[in-house]
Amino acid sequence: MLIFRVLGPLEIETSTRIVRPTGSLQRTLLLTLLTSTQRLVSTGMLIDELWNGQHPDRVENALQAHVSRLRQKLASLEPDAATSRLIAHSSGYELVVGEGELDAEIFANALTDIRARQSGTPPAVTAEALQDALGLWRGPMFGAARGGPRCRAASARYEELRLGALESLIDCELQCGEHARTIPLLRDLLREHPFQERFSQQLMIALYRCGRQAEALDVYRALRFRLMDELGLEPSPRMRDYERAILEQDPMLGRPAQVHVAGPVSAVGPASGVGPVSAVEGKAQPAVRPGGVLSKNLLRTLGREPSIAG
């Protein structure tokens, strides 16, 4: 059995070691096949992914040579396998990957399972499950390898899933009363994704519940400035509702919101999770363990060491 890891630098794990494939074309070939597991990838698409319109003469022969090298490499990693994972068809190639052998699929399936079980589940339990799923990420998808258009589209799709999972994890933390602990993470996320209204909204709530009303309003103003300056847009009506609620010290802001495990997040506009101010309801739940559910490992996965909130 092999484990293919793409939620970070490309790796293949065997029973005894971890291998990082070398050679940019070999990595791109494997990544393209992994983004289409159990599906045939046409010869034309593989050529486009590997050479991006600047292919060599006799490109079909060059592709066959790279496929042969990859097939030999995979065979050397599981010498007892009865058949090759890399199957040739008349019009392309297919990589056979079993259940539980690709970390990206494990991550996506975990989110589906969490979403299916969230009704009636304590937020601390949901948070721990989300943390475990997010712990599969070891850095940017594919690491330094970019791949072609198909790989970049897959990377964007899984990044949306990651952001949605982070959004839901922070909702759980807020419902568990871990407001201060979410602040450093939210600030980091906003540095990476400055137009994500959802993260600005969560940071405003966290700061307000920590008694930092002025800083919560500064978050709104910074978002408005960015949107106006770079996109010519105003914040969404929901964001304006939150600004008004903070200015008026609406007592509803002091109460945790019901958590809904989110799908992909959007840059501007309403998102799932904490609803409009008039819909905020629920009671705080105890955290799953001392220190909150944002583990040190998860914070390192997001590119930062854990630190004291503030």
Side-chain angles (χ1 to χ4, degrees), residues 249-269:
Q249 298 185 350
D250 191 320
M252 298 299 289
L253 284 177
R255 299 171 61 188
Q258 295 292 342
V259 174
H260 301 281
V261 177
V265 296
S266 58
V268 178

Side-chain angles (χ1 to χ4, degrees), residues 33-96:
L33 292 166
L34 285 171
T35 60
S36 306
T37 55
Q38 316 306 113
R39 295 191 302 275
L40 183 146
V41 184
S42 70
T43 299
M45 180 171 290
L46 286 171
I47 289 171
D48 288 343
E49 288 286 309
L50 268 65
W51 287 285
N52 195 27
Q54 300 184 8
H55 53 74
D57 295 334
R58 301 172 63 87
V59 67
E60 290 83 1
N61 290 344
L63 176 61
Q64 288 174 3
H66 280 289
V67 169
S68 178
R69 284 178 55 196
L70 179 58
R71 183 183 288 116
Q72 292 172 11
K73 181 63 176 179
L74 294 175
S76 72
L77 295 177
E78 45 181 357
D80 297 331
T83 58
S84 173
R85 286 179 176 268
L86 187 44
I87 302 171
H89 297 270
S90 59
S91 58
Y93 298 89
E94 174 188 357
L95 182 65
V96 178

